[in-house]
Amino acid sequence: MKKGIKNFMSLLCSASLLASFVLASTACDSRQEIVVYNWGEYIAEDTIANFEKAFPQYKVVYREFETNETMYPNLDNSYDVIIPSEYMVCRLINEERIQPLDWSLLPNVTEYMDPVFNTLQYSSDKSLSDEVLDYAIPYLYCTVGLVYDANKIELSEGTTDPKEIWGVLFDDNGQSVGMYDSMRESIGVALNYNGYSINSLDAAQLDEARETLIAQKKDKSPAYGVDNLKDKMASGELAASVAWSGDHIVILDRVDEIGSDVDIQYVLPTGSNWSVDMMCVPTNAKNYEGAHAFINYMYDPQIALDNCEYVGYSTPNTAARDMLDPEVANNLYYYPDAETFATLEVYYSSAEYEEKYAELWNTVKASS
Protein backbone atom coordinates (compact mmCIF):
# COMPACT_ATOMS: atom_id res chain seq x y z
CA MET A 1 0.00 0.00 0.00
CA LYS A 2 2.75 2.46 0.96
CA LYS A 3 4.79 1.34 -2.05
CA GLY A 4 1.80 2.07 -4.28
CA ILE A 5 1.40 5.50 -2.74
CA LYS A 6 5.12 6.16 -3.12
CA ASN A 7 5.03 5.16 -6.80
CA PHE A 8 1.94 7.25 -7.34
CA MET A 9 3.58 10.29 -5.71
CA SER A 10 6.71 9.72 -7.83
CA LEU A 11 4.66 9.63 -11.03
CA LEU A 12 2.73 12.70 -9.95
CA CYS A 13 5.97 14.54 -9.27
CA SER A 14 7.40 13.52 -12.67
CA ALA A 15 4.24 14.66 -14.43
CA SER A 16 4.39 17.95 -12.59
CA LEU A 17 8.03 18.48 -13.54
CA LEU A 18 7.25 17.67 -17.20
CA ALA A 19 4.37 20.13 -17.25
CA SER A 20 6.56 22.78 -15.69
CA PHE A 21 9.25 22.15 -18.33
CA VAL A 22 6.74 22.46 -21.18
CA LEU A 23 5.32 25.67 -19.72
CA ALA A 24 8.79 27.06 -19.17
CA SER A 25 9.84 26.18 -22.72
CA THR A 26 6.72 27.84 -24.11
CA ALA A 27 7.24 30.87 -21.94
CA CYS A 28 10.87 31.15 -23.09
CA ASP A 29 9.80 31.31 -26.75
CA SER A 30 8.37 34.80 -26.61
CA ARG A 31 8.73 35.35 -30.37
CA GLN A 32 5.81 36.78 -32.29
CA GLU A 33 4.37 34.46 -34.91
CA ILE A 34 4.11 35.40 -38.57
CA VAL A 35 1.85 32.95 -40.39
CA VAL A 36 2.74 32.74 -44.10
CA TYR A 37 0.51 31.01 -46.67
CA ASN A 38 2.30 30.32 -49.95
CA TRP A 39 2.33 28.02 -52.96
CA GLY A 40 4.05 24.64 -52.63
CA GLU A 41 7.74 24.50 -53.63
CA TYR A 42 7.74 28.30 -53.85
CA ILE A 43 10.43 29.50 -51.46
CA ALA A 44 14.14 28.76 -51.04
CA GLU A 45 14.85 26.12 -48.42
CA ASP A 46 16.76 28.42 -46.07
CA THR A 47 14.74 31.65 -46.45
CA ILE A 48 12.59 31.12 -43.36
CA ALA A 49 15.57 30.15 -41.17
CA ASN A 50 17.55 33.14 -42.43
CA PHE A 51 14.66 35.49 -41.76
CA GLU A 52 14.32 34.21 -38.19
CA LYS A 53 18.06 34.78 -37.67
CA ALA A 54 17.81 38.32 -39.01
CA PHE A 55 14.67 39.00 -36.96
CA PRO A 56 14.93 36.93 -33.78
CA GLN A 57 11.74 38.50 -32.42
CA TYR A 58 9.70 36.58 -35.01
CA LYS A 59 8.81 32.93 -35.58
CA VAL A 60 7.44 31.97 -38.99
CA VAL A 61 4.64 29.43 -39.25
CA TYR A 62 4.59 28.30 -42.87
CA ARG A 63 1.58 26.83 -44.72
CA GLU A 64 1.23 25.77 -48.38
CA PHE A 65 -1.49 25.63 -51.05
CA GLU A 66 -1.54 24.38 -54.66
CA THR A 67 -3.83 26.83 -56.49
CA ASN A 68 -5.58 30.14 -55.92
CA GLU A 69 -8.89 28.33 -55.79
CA THR A 70 -7.76 25.93 -53.04
CA MET A 71 -6.31 28.85 -51.07
CA TYR A 72 -9.43 31.01 -51.16
CA PRO A 73 -11.76 28.88 -48.94
CA ASN A 74 -9.11 28.83 -46.20
CA LEU A 75 -8.86 32.58 -45.75
CA ASP A 76 -11.20 32.55 -42.76
CA ASN A 77 -8.15 31.19 -40.95
CA SER A 78 -5.75 33.87 -39.76
CA TYR A 79 -2.68 34.37 -41.94
CA ASP A 80 -0.31 37.33 -41.84
CA VAL A 81 1.09 37.03 -45.36
CA ILE A 82 -0.60 35.32 -48.31
CA ILE A 83 0.74 35.07 -51.86
CA PRO A 84 -2.10 34.79 -54.42
CA SER A 85 -1.95 35.65 -58.12
CA GLU A 86 -2.97 39.06 -59.38
CA TYR A 87 -6.50 38.11 -60.44
CA MET A 88 -7.19 36.66 -57.00
CA VAL A 89 -5.68 39.81 -55.45
CA CYS A 90 -8.27 41.86 -57.35
CA ARG A 91 -11.03 39.65 -56.05
CA LEU A 92 -9.74 39.95 -52.48
CA ILE A 93 -9.56 43.74 -52.75
CA ASN A 94 -13.19 43.87 -53.92
CA GLU A 95 -14.25 41.58 -51.08
CA GLU A 96 -12.18 43.54 -48.51
CA ARG A 97 -10.29 40.36 -47.57
CA ILE A 98 -6.86 42.07 -47.70
CA GLN A 99 -5.80 45.40 -46.21
CA PRO A 100 -3.73 48.34 -47.49
CA LEU A 101 0.02 48.14 -46.99
CA ASP A 102 2.23 50.70 -45.29
CA TRP A 103 4.90 51.43 -47.88
CA SER A 104 6.96 53.33 -45.31
CA LEU A 105 7.71 49.89 -43.81
CA LEU A 106 8.87 48.53 -47.20
CA PRO A 107 12.06 50.41 -48.11
CA ASN A 108 13.52 47.48 -50.05
CA VAL A 109 10.40 47.32 -52.20
CA THR A 110 10.59 51.05 -52.88
CA GLU A 111 14.22 50.74 -53.97
CA TYR A 112 14.24 47.49 -55.91
CA MET A 113 10.79 46.79 -57.42
CA ASP A 114 10.90 46.92 -61.21
CA PRO A 115 8.94 50.08 -62.24
CA VAL A 116 7.19 48.10 -64.99
CA PHE A 117 4.84 46.80 -62.27
CA ASN A 118 3.61 50.34 -61.72
CA THR A 119 2.20 50.47 -65.25
CA LEU A 120 0.90 46.95 -65.91
CA GLN A 121 -2.86 46.48 -66.01
CA TYR A 122 -3.99 43.98 -63.39
CA SER A 123 -7.75 44.25 -64.01
CA SER A 124 -10.22 45.24 -66.72
CA ASP A 125 -11.39 47.85 -64.20
CA LYS A 126 -8.70 50.54 -64.40
CA SER A 127 -9.60 52.07 -61.04
CA LEU A 128 -9.16 48.65 -59.40
CA SER A 129 -5.96 48.04 -61.35
CA ASP A 130 -4.55 51.33 -60.06
CA GLU A 131 -5.20 50.19 -56.48
CA VAL A 132 -3.44 46.82 -56.66
CA LEU A 133 -0.02 47.99 -55.50
CA ASP A 134 -1.63 49.66 -52.48
CA TYR A 135 -2.55 46.14 -51.32
CA ALA A 136 -0.04 43.75 -52.87
CA ILE A 137 3.67 43.50 -53.67
CA PRO A 138 4.95 41.37 -56.59
CA TYR A 139 6.85 38.30 -55.34
CA LEU A 140 7.58 36.31 -58.51
CA TYR A 141 6.02 36.20 -61.95
CA CYS A 142 5.82 33.97 -65.00
CA THR A 143 4.27 33.30 -68.37
CA VAL A 144 2.08 30.30 -69.26
CA GLY A 145 3.26 28.15 -72.14
CA LEU A 146 3.92 24.59 -73.26
CA VAL A 147 6.77 22.40 -72.03
CA TYR A 148 7.46 19.48 -74.32
CA ASP A 149 9.95 16.76 -75.06
CA ALA A 150 11.41 17.62 -78.46
CA ASN A 151 12.27 13.92 -78.91
CA LYS A 152 8.53 13.20 -79.09
CA ILE A 153 6.92 16.47 -80.21
CA GLU A 154 7.82 18.55 -83.27
CA LEU A 155 6.74 22.18 -83.61
CA SER A 156 7.44 24.69 -86.37
CA GLU A 157 10.59 26.66 -85.64
CA GLY A 158 9.83 29.96 -83.92
CA THR A 159 6.08 29.33 -83.82
CA THR A 160 3.86 31.37 -81.50
CA ASP A 161 0.61 30.06 -83.01
CA PRO A 162 -1.75 29.01 -80.17
CA LYS A 163 -3.51 26.47 -82.40
CA GLU A 164 -0.29 24.63 -83.19
CA ILE A 165 1.25 24.92 -79.73
CA TRP A 166 -1.78 23.99 -77.62
CA GLY A 167 -2.79 21.46 -80.26
CA VAL A 168 -0.11 19.21 -78.75
CA LEU A 169 -2.37 18.92 -75.68
CA PHE A 170 -5.67 18.52 -77.52
CA ASP A 171 -4.99 16.79 -80.84
CA ASP A 172 -4.88 13.02 -81.38
CA ASN A 173 -1.10 12.59 -81.46
CA GLY A 174 -0.88 9.49 -79.28
CA GLN A 175 1.20 11.27 -76.63
CA SER A 176 0.60 11.51 -72.87
CA VAL A 177 0.07 15.09 -71.71
CA GLY A 178 -0.43 17.06 -68.50
CA MET A 179 -2.87 19.80 -67.53
CA TYR A 180 -2.82 22.02 -64.47
CA ASP A 181 -5.61 21.18 -62.06
CA SER A 182 -6.36 24.88 -61.99
CA MET A 183 -9.50 26.53 -63.30
CA ARG A 184 -8.13 29.67 -64.93
CA GLU A 185 -5.05 28.06 -66.47
CA SER A 186 -6.93 25.17 -68.05
CA ILE A 187 -9.84 27.26 -69.31
CA GLY A 188 -7.40 29.91 -70.52
CA VAL A 189 -5.45 27.33 -72.53
CA ALA A 190 -8.66 26.04 -74.16
CA LEU A 191 -9.83 29.57 -75.01
CA ASN A 192 -6.42 30.52 -76.43
CA TYR A 193 -6.31 27.30 -78.47
CA ASN A 194 -9.68 28.13 -80.01
CA GLY A 195 -8.56 31.66 -80.89
CA TYR A 196 -10.30 33.59 -78.11
CA SER A 197 -9.25 35.86 -75.28
CA ILE A 198 -8.33 34.04 -72.08
CA ASN A 199 -10.78 36.45 -70.39
CA SER A 200 -13.73 35.73 -72.66
CA LEU A 201 -17.23 35.89 -71.17
CA ASP A 202 -18.93 35.11 -74.48
CA ALA A 203 -21.31 32.19 -73.92
CA ALA A 204 -20.57 30.48 -77.25
CA GLN A 205 -16.80 30.77 -76.76
CA LEU A 206 -17.02 29.38 -73.22
CA ASP A 207 -19.16 26.51 -74.49
CA GLU A 208 -16.50 25.72 -77.09
CA ALA A 209 -13.76 25.81 -74.45
CA ARG A 210 -15.77 23.49 -72.21
CA GLU A 211 -16.29 20.98 -75.02
CA THR A 212 -12.58 21.14 -75.91
CA LEU A 213 -11.62 20.28 -72.34
CA ILE A 214 -14.24 17.53 -72.03
CA ALA A 215 -13.11 15.96 -75.31
CA GLN A 216 -9.49 16.11 -74.14
CA LYS A 217 -10.40 14.41 -70.88
CA LYS A 218 -12.26 11.66 -72.71
CA ASP A 219 -9.80 11.07 -75.56
CA LYS A 220 -6.40 11.75 -73.98
CA SER A 221 -6.93 11.21 -70.23
CA PRO A 222 -4.46 13.97 -69.33
CA ALA A 223 -2.59 13.86 -66.04
CA TYR A 224 -3.98 16.60 -63.82
CA GLY A 225 -1.92 18.25 -61.13
CA VAL A 226 0.60 21.00 -60.44
CA ASP A 227 3.86 20.05 -58.73
CA ASN A 228 3.59 16.38 -59.77
CA LEU A 229 3.67 17.30 -63.45
CA LYS A 230 7.24 18.56 -63.19
CA ASP A 231 8.50 15.13 -62.15
CA LYS A 232 6.42 13.45 -64.85
CA MET A 233 7.96 15.69 -67.52
CA ALA A 234 11.50 15.24 -66.23
CA SER A 235 11.20 11.45 -66.18
CA GLY A 236 9.69 11.27 -69.67
CA GLU A 237 6.34 9.97 -68.45
CA LEU A 238 4.66 12.89 -70.21
CA ALA A 239 5.49 14.23 -73.66
CA ALA A 240 4.07 17.70 -73.01
CA SER A 241 2.26 19.78 -70.45
CA VAL A 242 0.92 23.25 -69.81
CA ALA A 243 3.47 25.00 -67.62
CA TRP A 244 4.39 28.22 -65.93
CA SER A 245 7.74 29.44 -67.26
CA GLY A 246 9.33 28.92 -63.86
CA ASP A 247 8.39 25.24 -63.95
CA HIS A 248 10.39 24.90 -67.15
CA ILE A 249 13.57 25.83 -65.26
CA VAL A 250 12.72 23.45 -62.41
CA ILE A 251 12.11 20.60 -64.87
CA LEU A 252 15.49 21.23 -66.53
CA ASP A 253 17.18 21.02 -63.13
CA ARG A 254 15.42 17.74 -62.36
CA VAL A 255 16.40 16.31 -65.74
CA ASP A 256 20.04 16.99 -64.84
CA GLU A 257 19.59 15.47 -61.38
CA ILE A 258 18.17 12.16 -62.61
CA GLY A 259 20.17 11.98 -65.84
CA SER A 260 17.10 11.69 -68.04
CA ASP A 261 17.52 11.72 -71.84
CA VAL A 262 14.48 13.94 -72.52
CA ASP A 263 14.90 17.19 -74.47
CA ILE A 264 12.69 19.67 -72.62
CA GLN A 265 11.72 22.85 -74.47
CA TYR A 266 9.36 25.72 -73.62
CA VAL A 267 7.32 27.80 -76.04
CA LEU A 268 5.01 30.75 -75.40
CA PRO A 269 1.89 31.22 -77.57
CA THR A 270 0.60 34.62 -78.59
CA GLY A 271 -2.37 35.62 -76.45
CA SER A 272 -1.38 33.45 -73.50
CA ASN A 273 -1.17 34.48 -69.86
CA TRP A 274 1.44 36.25 -67.79
CA SER A 275 0.87 36.00 -64.10
CA VAL A 276 2.34 37.69 -61.04
CA ASP A 277 2.08 36.23 -57.54
CA MET A 278 1.84 38.96 -54.93
CA MET A 279 2.45 39.28 -51.20
CA CYS A 280 -0.59 40.59 -49.29
CA VAL A 281 -1.73 41.06 -45.71
CA PRO A 282 -5.23 39.66 -45.00
CA THR A 283 -7.78 41.78 -43.18
CA ASN A 284 -7.81 39.31 -40.30
CA ALA A 285 -4.00 39.20 -39.94
CA LYS A 286 -2.75 39.26 -36.35
CA ASN A 287 0.76 40.59 -37.00
CA TYR A 288 0.62 43.57 -39.37
CA GLU A 289 4.10 44.86 -38.51
CA GLY A 290 5.68 41.39 -38.71
CA ALA A 291 4.04 40.83 -42.08
CA HIS A 292 5.71 43.98 -43.41
CA ALA A 293 9.06 42.89 -42.00
CA PHE A 294 8.73 39.60 -43.88
CA ILE A 295 7.65 41.22 -47.16
CA ASN A 296 10.45 43.77 -46.99
CA TYR A 297 12.98 41.01 -46.22
CA MET A 298 11.89 39.12 -49.33
CA TYR A 299 13.02 42.18 -51.34
CA ASP A 300 16.57 42.07 -50.03
CA PRO A 301 18.44 41.55 -53.34
CA GLN A 302 20.29 38.42 -52.20
CA ILE A 303 17.13 36.88 -50.74
CA ALA A 304 15.18 37.73 -53.90
CA LEU A 305 17.94 36.15 -56.00
CA ASP A 306 18.00 33.02 -53.84
CA ASN A 307 14.24 32.57 -54.20
CA CYS A 308 14.25 33.32 -57.90
CA GLU A 309 16.99 30.76 -58.58
CA TYR A 310 15.50 28.12 -56.28
CA VAL A 311 11.92 28.42 -57.54
CA GLY A 312 12.80 29.17 -61.17
CA TYR A 313 10.30 31.99 -61.58
CA SER A 314 11.07 35.55 -62.66
CA THR A 315 11.98 38.15 -60.07
CA PRO A 316 10.53 41.68 -60.03
CA ASN A 317 13.60 42.76 -58.04
CA THR A 318 15.89 44.80 -60.32
CA ALA A 319 19.07 44.21 -58.28
CA ALA A 320 18.43 40.45 -58.14
CA ARG A 321 17.83 40.29 -61.89
CA ASP A 322 21.14 42.07 -62.50
CA MET A 323 22.86 39.21 -60.64
CA LEU A 324 21.21 36.47 -62.71
CA ASP A 325 22.87 34.48 -65.47
CA PRO A 326 22.40 36.73 -68.56
CA GLU A 327 21.06 33.73 -70.50
CA VAL A 328 18.13 33.63 -68.09
CA ALA A 329 17.74 37.38 -67.51
CA ASN A 330 17.58 38.06 -71.26
CA ASN A 331 15.16 35.24 -72.11
CA LEU A 332 11.89 36.84 -73.29
CA TYR A 333 9.90 33.82 -72.14
CA TYR A 334 11.04 34.51 -68.57
CA TYR A 335 11.46 38.29 -68.71
CA PRO A 336 9.16 39.64 -71.43
CA ASP A 337 9.95 43.00 -72.96
CA ALA A 338 7.20 45.55 -73.62
CA GLU A 339 6.52 44.07 -77.08
CA THR A 340 6.09 40.55 -75.68
CA PHE A 341 3.98 41.79 -72.76
CA ALA A 342 1.67 43.43 -75.30
CA THR A 343 0.82 40.01 -76.76
CA LEU A 344 -0.14 38.51 -73.38
CA GLU A 345 -3.04 38.91 -70.95
CA VAL A 346 -3.50 38.67 -67.21
CA TYR A 347 -6.56 36.89 -65.89
CA TYR A 348 -9.35 39.28 -64.95
CA SER A 349 -11.57 38.74 -61.95
CA SER A 350 -15.16 39.66 -61.09
CA ALA A 351 -18.23 37.95 -59.68
CA GLU A 352 -19.29 37.13 -63.23
CA TYR A 353 -15.95 35.51 -64.04
CA GLU A 354 -15.96 33.47 -60.85
CA GLU A 355 -19.50 32.22 -61.46
CA LYS A 356 -19.18 31.36 -65.15
CA TYR A 357 -15.69 29.88 -64.99
CA ALA A 358 -16.40 27.83 -61.86
CA GLU A 359 -19.52 26.37 -63.48
CA LEU A 360 -17.55 25.50 -66.63
CA TRP A 361 -14.67 23.94 -64.69
CA ASN A 362 -16.96 21.92 -62.44
CA THR A 363 -18.69 20.51 -65.52
CA VAL A 364 -15.35 19.49 -67.02
CA LYS A 365 -14.16 17.86 -63.79
CA ALA A 366 -17.44 15.96 -63.42
CA SER A 367 -17.35 14.64 -67.00
CA SER A 368 -16.20 11.14 -67.82
Side-chain angles (χ1 to χ4, degrees):
M1 183 72 173
K2 289 183 179 178
K3 185 177 179 182
I5 292 174
K6 184 177 180 180
N7 288 340
F8 172 76
M9 292 303 292
S10 177
L11 289 171
L12 185 62
C13 182
S14 297
S16 178
L17 287 172
L18 179 61
S20 298
F21 175 77
V22 171
L23 289 172
S25 298
T26 304
C28 287
D29 191 354
S30 59
R31 295 178 296 171
Q32 301 175 46
E33 284 190 349
I34 302 172
V35 186
V36 177
Y37 198 26
N38 193 9
W39 300 75
E41 300 186 349
Y42 212 47
I43 193 169
E45 292 176 314
D46 57 357
T47 294
I48 299 299
N50 288 338
F51 172 79
E52 292 177 336
K53 289 177 185 176
F55 295 87
Q57 68 270 39
Y58 295 125
K59 173 186 177 181
V60 175
V61 178
Y62 194 75
R63 301 283 184 264
E64 295 181 353
F65 59 86
E66 272 214 328
T67 70
N68 288 286
E69 286 67 37
T70 57
M71 174 209 68
Y72 179 80
N74 295 318
L75 292 183
D76 287 338
N77 299 323
S78 180
Y79 303 105
D80 298 301
V81 179
I82 59 173
I83 309 182
S85 302
E86 81 295 319
Y87 74 91
M88 182 59 73
V89 170
C90 292
R91 178 178 181 178
L92 297 177
I93 292 173
N94 279 331
E95 296 177 358
E96 299 182 352
R97 302 292 296 274
I98 54 178
Q99 57 184 304
L101 299 169
D102 183 346
W103 273 70
S104 71
L105 300 176
L106 303 171
N108 285 343
V109 180
T110 301
E111 183 170 0
Y112 297 118
M113 189 184 78
D114 190 330
V116 71
F117 290 93
N118 289 311
T119 59
L120 292 175
Q121 186 167 345
Y122 299 93
S123 169
S124 57
D125 178 347
K126 187 177 185 306
S127 62
L128 175 58
S129 181
D130 290 344
E131 283 188 280
V132 165
L133 293 181
D134 294 332
Y135 289 84
I137 303 298
Y139 170 49
L140 293 167
Y141 68 100
C142 65
T143 57
V144 174
L146 181 81
V147 288
Y148 65 99
D149 181 355
N151 295 326
K152 300 175 180 177
I153 301 294
E154 184 176 351
L155 293 173
S156 302
E157 185 175 354
T159 184
T160 61
D161 178 18
K163 195 72 174 179
E164 179 181 2
I165 292 170
W166 296 131
V168 173
L169 301 179
F170 296 114
D171 297 344
D172 184 14
N173 53 21
Q175 300 288 358
S176 298
V177 300
M179 291 289 288
Y180 279 146
D181 192 4
S182 175
M183 177 178 78
R184 291 306 296 263
E185 274 74 21
S186 290
I187 296 174
V189 166
L191 285 167
N192 192 211
Y193 167 73
N194 287 314
Y196 308 130
S197 165
I198 61 174
N199 288 304
S200 177
L201 287 171
D202 180 271
Q205 293 177 5
L206 291 176
D207 285 347
E208 191 173 344
R210 182 192 65 232
E211 293 309 307
T212 297
L213 290 168
I214 289 175
Q216 179 200 42
K217 188 176 178 185
K218 178 181 177 181
D219 298 336
K220 294 183 72 71
S221 300
Y224 287 101
V226 179
D227 290 333
N228 62 312
L229 299 183
K230 290 176 276 192
D231 289 328
K232 291 178 183 291
M233 284 299 307
S235 68
E237 183 178 341
L238 298 178
S241 176
V242 60
W244 295 301
S245 53
D247 282 359
H248 174 227
I249 296 178
V250 175
I251 294 167
L252 291 176
D253 288 341
R254 293 187 182 175
V255 168
D256 288 340
E257 288 172 7
I258 64 177
S260 176
D261 61 356
V262 295
D263 181 6
I264 300 296
Q265 303 292 327
Y266 178 83
V267 62
L268 178 64
T270 299
S272 188
N273 168 252
W274 74 268
S275 178
V276 53
D277 297 318
M278 313 186 81
M279 298 179 284
C280 318
V281 180
T283 306
N284 62 355
K286 295 179 180 178
N287 194 342
Y288 185 77
E289 185 173 335
H292 282 70
F294 184 83
I295 293 171
N296 191 61
Y297 180 78
M298 298 296 276
Y299 259 74
D300 176 281
Q302 186 60 53
I303 301 305
L305 177 67
D306 292 344
N307 281 288
C308 166
E309 291 184 329
Y310 179 82
V311 175
Y313 282 57
S314 304
T315 179
N317 187 301
T318 54
R321 181 176 175 182
D322 288 343
M323 293 187 281
L324 279 174
D325 180 341
E327 188 175 344
V328 174
N330 296 324
N331 187 319
L332 295 183
Y333 290 161
Y334 307 148
Y335 292 92
D337 57 12
E339 184 179 353
T340 306
F341 263 130
T343 72
L344 306 174
E345 294 185 80
V346 298
Y347 297 127
Y348 293 153
S349 178
S350 69
E352 185 177 12
Y353 277 112
E354 303 309 323
E355 180 181 355
K356 288 188 174 182
Y357 279 57
E359 181 181 2
L360 190 161
W361 185 235
N362 290 336
T363 301
V364 172
K365 295 302 293 287
S367 66
S368 57

